[in-house]
Amino acid sequence: MSKVELVELIAKEAGLSKADAQRALDATLAGITAGLKKEGKVSLVGFGTFSAKKRAAREGINPLTKEAIKIPAKTVASFKAGSKLKDALN
């Protein structure tokens, strides 16, 4: 499902205009991003938990030259599905 399709679904299910649904989705995504930056975790009970995890620096290999390269440490987003989401998919 694309973002456009999701906005259309939100508009239909919530009885909103597409513009209002777009703003609601954008605000939700901005809130999740802000929560991850500030606290490192956003929990939506029953749906799942978004968390920010630190990935350590490591050595990799350049596939073109086969030379060793250093991959810097970084923070990545992670998602763990909640019980209601897991049950809905089964």
Side-chain angles (χ1 to χ4, degrees):
M1 175 180 286
S2 70
K3 187 174 180 180
V4 172
E5 292 169 330
L6 183 57
V7 167
E8 290 173 359
L9 179 71
I10 292 169
K12 179 182 172 190
E13 293 291 322
L16 301 171
S17 69
K18 287 184 184 179
D20 288 340
Q22 177 73 46
R23 284 192 291 276
L25 179 58
D26 289 343
T28 301
L29 297 177
I32 291 170
T33 302
L36 288 175
K37 282 184 174 180
K38 184 176 181 182
E39 299 174 19
K41 188 174 185 181
V42 176
S43 295
L44 303 174
V45 177
F47 182 74
T49 302
F50 296 91
S51 60
K53 295 185 178 183
K54 295 186 187 287
R55 185 179 288 171
R58 61 192 193 279
E59 295 235 347
I61 297 175
N62 182 333
L64 293 177
T65 63
K66 307 297 184 206
E67 292 179 18
I69 57 172
K70 292 187 180 196
I71 301 170
K74 67 179 179 178
T75 303
V76 295
S78 160
F79 178 75
K80 182 176 179 187
S83 60
K84 289 182 184 177
L85 179 58
K86 287 179 186 176
D87 291 343
L89 297 175
N90 289 330

